[in-house]
Amino acid sequence: MTPAKLADAVLAAAHALFAERGLDPTALPESTAVERPRNPEHGDYASTLALQLAKKSGVPPRDLAAGLADQLGRTPGIKSVEIAGPGFLNIRLDAAAAGQLARVVVQAGKEYGHSERLAGQKINLEFVSANPTGPVHIGGVRWAALGDALARLLRAVGAEVGTEYYVNDAGTQIDRFAQSLLAASRGEPTPEDGYAGAYIAEIAEGITRDHPDADLATFRSVGVERMLAEIESSLTGFGVHFDLYFRESDLHSRGELDHALTRLREQGHVFEADGAIWLRTTDFGDDKDRVLRKSDGEWTYFAADCAYYLDKRERAFERVVMMLGADHHGYIGRMRAMVSCFGDDPDTHLEIMIGQMVNLVRDGVPVRMSKRAGTVVTLEDVVEAIGVDAARYALARYSADSPIDIDVELWTRSTRDNPVYYVQYVAARTASVARNAAEVGLSRGDADSFRPELLDHEKENELLKALGEYPSVVATAAELREPHRIARYLEDLSGNYHRFYDNCRILPKGDEPIGDLHRTRLWLNDATRTVIANGLDLLGVSAPERM
RNA sequence: GCGCUCGUAGCUCAGCGGAUAGAGCAGCUGCCUUCUAAGCAGUUGGUCGCAGGUUCGAAUCCUGCCGGGCGCACCA
């Protein structure tokens, strides 16, 4: 019996009860859920349905709870139902019904935890989008970890996801980048407002080698391509693949800014003043109107944002998700207003996620500079310091709302206090048990030797409940755009596995003959490995066979 | 000044309106002759920033205040 099926049973009981008492069935929700109470005295699962229905039905909650308990008590697999407090239903399952889950999980394999909850939704996810004027810095690394995890999560719940990296290859920052390369190639000092760092000299040198007569235009075009190739390669090494690297220059060359301007004009929110073309974003709550085309005829960055948004919408994405650093949160107001100016609804078509700052900390002091980039800490620096797995886990483990310090010493430690090791250790332990089982001739066996009623130890029950919770954790994490929930869940699951391991011997001791308990526990071991591996995969972290 | 965000144990943080608010670290104390001790068990530690409101029920939702961070360009 999975929690989802139990929840269905609770709802079915409510329907039966309402019919029996002649109550209005429209008061019943379409679906309900059961909780995994922390306090074991509150049963294996708890439902608050009676509390929720009391007001709507006009029946006292404890009275409703009693009726529900009566109905539920007749459901196979349910051992007992108690009413507690104001009207909680505390439900206990038979060991056999609870234990079935081990088999459900193993048989579902990689699919366990997946659902169709967001099926049919087409979501565009844009993240990182660091300017191609230098390596990806640490803030972008957080988005790489979080954005990629979110893409995996959304796909796991059935959404159609397109991931994109917006390449700002058309603005004046690119001019400065080109001039910095040119200066470096001539051995001249970095121009004012230019880019410094060893990488500039390296790229300049490479371009000069391949294009001896390179002029500013060459440094510009080739420089951007090489920088972008480097960025893409470092992201690939980080396990992050983008479906599309979208170039701002394409918006210009395809005339998409004019197209967007036309559309905005049609909607009636464009005006001219002081020789510039403006979008009246104040119509939709922005604190000031925004320039689309400057008086000198140049498009603004904001105009390109408008065109890019329109482009995504015209590619049939119904939801446009963008991830920005906290220093860009001022964009939210104008972006939402812009969406409204197009006639869209910012609450349904746009979603802007804001992430707080990240520091790499060594010996209690923030690391400030990269060996290669000079002024910032880069993706390579983070990977070199703690490795891809730890970096991805550390960056995905915290809510994007909270600023984080990544302590190099902590995240490279091989102890309990390093969360990624704690979780990966379970992956290794479960794999080790499976290997040892195979060596002594123990296998999960067939359906006859899977005897879930034998899984009646407290720690087995706790582990089963944790495993059963996984699908709803995935669904919630996807809906709330909070990958950190996966990490926290995996840590909880890991604790449950270790306690099971400590209390319940899986393999036969010495000459002990192999029995159904050994086989059944092996199912539980393998179910745990499945969920740990699936969860880590959502975060882009490996599930090692050995450590 | 306006806006966004955060404020939970000594520290770092979980907690999508539910029961006695949880975990790791730090402190103290135990557990390895058979599956990985990179583990487990016990113990100490809280006016959930403050004040109101909504609710059967608030750390969670709303309002105000206090404190920290960030942002308010015809920059990109």
Side-chain angles (χ1 to χ4, degrees):
Chain A
M1 168 108 54
T2 64
K5 286 191 175 146
L6 178 59
D8 289 345
V10 172
L11 193 55
H15 273 107
L17 178 67
F18 271 48
E20 193 178 289
R21 299 210 186 167
L23 297 167
D24 177 12
T26 61
L28 294 170
E30 276 184 35
S31 67
T32 187
V34 290
E35 298 169 11
R36 172 160 75 109
R38 191 150 277 288
N39 186 339
E41 288 174 19
H42 297 152
D44 294 330
Y45 295 98
S47 167
T48 58
L49 191 61
L51 291 165
Q52 291 159 31
L53 294 175
K55 189 164 233 175
K56 285 180 189 168
S57 64
V59 180
R62 282 194 67 103
D63 189 4
L64 275 180
L68 287 175
D70 191 43
Q71 297 281 347
L72 273 175
R74 297 199 280 265
T75 307
I78 292 178
K79 187 166 76 182
S80 69
V81 184
E82 288 168 16
I83 303 154
F88 293 101
L89 281 177
N90 294 334
I91 305 164
R92 276 168 230 281
L93 301 182
D94 289 338
Q100 285 292 351
L101 189 78
R103 204 145 169 267
V104 169
V105 172
V106 170
Q107 290 182 334
K110 285 189 187 311
E111 292 300 308
Y112 182 66
H114 288 213
S115 67
E116 296 300 313
R117 200 171 286 235
L118 295 189
Q121 269 205 40
K122 196 171 171 191
I123 301 174
N124 184 280
L125 267 186
E126 182 206 328
F127 54 102
V128 185
S129 300
N131 284 348
T133 53
V136 176
H137 57 83
I138 192 163
V141 184
R142 182 177 203 174
W143 284 127
L146 226 36
D148 188 58
L150 190 51
R152 292 166 188 245
L153 264 172
L154 291 170
R155 285 174 179 139
V157 295
E160 187 184 335
V161 179
T163 57
E164 295 190 19
Y165 183 122
Y166 182 52
V167 183
N168 296 124
D169 61 347
T172 58
Q173 81 283 1
I174 297 298
D175 297 332
R176 295 205 286 259
F177 176 63
Q179 271 149 8
S180 303
L181 291 173
L182 181 64
S185 75
R186 293 174 176 165
E188 292 168 5
T190 305
E192 198 168 339
D193 294 331
Y195 294 90
Y199 74 96
I200 290 287
E202 286 169 26
I203 293 174
E205 195 183 326
I207 294 176
T208 307
R209 196 184 314 120
D210 299 340
H211 306 270
D213 302 322
D215 57 5
L216 187 62
T218 310
F219 277 110
R220 188 186 161 96
S221 58
V222 180
V224 165
E225 289 318 309
R226 294 197 177 185
M227 195 69 247
L228 196 54
E230 195 178 295
I231 288 169
E232 188 167 352
S233 140
S234 64
L235 285 168
T236 300
F238 198 55
V240 177
H241 161 78
F242 282 93
D243 296 326
L244 181 61
Y245 282 81
F246 191 102
R247 284 144 199 267
E248 182 189 357
S249 57
D250 287 343
L251 290 173
H252 288 90
S253 64
R254 294 184 203 140
E256 295 201 43
L257 287 97
D258 283 302
H259 172 57
L261 181 59
T262 302
R263 288 288 305 277
L264 289 167
R265 262 194 226 283
E266 287 166 7
Q267 296 286 328
H269 303 294
V270 175
F271 67 100
E272 299 195 15
D274 305 327
I277 300 175
W278 298 70
L279 183 64
R280 202 183 304 279
T281 51
T282 51
D283 284 349
F284 297 100
D286 195 10
D287 49 2
K288 62 190 73 165
D289 293 322
R290 304 290 168 178
V291 173
L292 292 168
R293 194 170 205 165
K294 297 186 248 180
S295 52
D296 65 3
E298 289 288 312
W299 293 103
T300 59
Y301 187 89
F302 179 65
D305 284 342
C306 295
Y308 187 30
Y309 171 78
L310 184 60
D311 184 275
K312 287 174 181 167
R313 292 284 288 128
E314 290 181 343
R315 279 184 282 140
F317 286 107
E318 58 221 26
R319 207 163 182 96
V320 172
V321 182
M322 310 172 59
M323 306 183 177
L324 301 175
D327 52 341
H328 285 68
H329 73 254
Y331 282 40
I332 297 176
R334 79 191 66 163
M335 292 297 291
R336 287 176 58 87
M338 175 258 276
V339 167
S340 297
C341 286
F342 274 117
D344 279 351
D345 174 8
D347 288 330
T348 59
H349 296 115
L350 181 70
E351 208 174 299
I352 299 180
M353 296 176 60
I354 295 296
Q356 299 297 320
M357 300 302 169
V358 187
N359 274 315
L360 191 65
V361 173
R362 205 188 294 269
D363 303 323
V365 186
V367 178
R368 292 277 174 219
M369 305 229 292
S370 160
K371 285 178 207 150
R372 184 152 171 268
T375 53
V376 293
V377 175
T378 67
L379 191 158
E380 277 74 19
D381 295 329
V382 178
V383 170
E384 191 189 328
I386 63 176
V388 171
D389 279 348
R392 293 198 59 150
Y393 194 94
L395 289 164
R397 180 178 190 258
Y398 302 90
S399 155
D401 292 332
S402 68
I404 50 179
D405 289 336
I406 298 179
D407 187 298
V408 173
E409 199 271 325
L410 169 69
W411 287 96
T412 50
R413 214 181 283 168
S414 302
T415 57
R416 171 72 183 88
D417 45 328
N418 179 351
V420 71
Y421 271 86
Y422 186 65
V423 174
Q424 286 187 313
Y425 183 55
V426 172
R429 229 182 194 185
T430 50
S432 167
V433 168
R435 277 194 303 272
N436 295 340
E439 260 177 43
V440 299
L442 169 62
S443 69
R444 290 195 299 257
D446 54 23
D448 288 341
S449 52
F450 175 67
R451 298 193 32 217
E453 74 278 11
L454 298 178
L455 299 176
D456 60 355
H457 190 281
E458 178 204 342
K459 302 304 180 189
E460 291 168 332
N461 188 245
E462 291 299 320
L463 178 56
L464 284 162
K465 281 189 284 180
L467 293 169
E469 201 182 2
Y470 181 66
S472 68
V473 171
V474 172
T476 303
E479 279 164 16
L480 298 178
R481 322 290 191 237
E482 292 183 343
H484 76 268
R485 286 171 185 273
I486 300 295
R488 302 297 176 147
Y489 164 80
L490 290 174
E491 290 163 33
D492 176 66
L493 175 63
S494 296
N496 278 297
Y497 178 77
H498 286 311
R499 288 187 284 276
F500 157 70
Y501 178 93
D502 261 32
N503 285 277
C504 304
R505 170 102 193 170
I506 300 161
L507 304 184
K509 286 187 185 180
D511 299 334
E512 188 187 352
I514 292 171
D516 286 346
L517 180 59
H518 300 120
R519 295 191 189 92
T520 306
R521 280 180 172 164
L522 189 58
W523 280 92
L524 188 51
N525 178 78
D526 293 355
T528 306
R529 176 159 177 82
T530 299
V531 175
I532 290 281
N534 289 2
L536 284 175
D537 184 62
L538 287 176
L539 302 178
V541 176
S542 69
E545 299 273 336
R546 304 166 196 276
M547 288 172 77

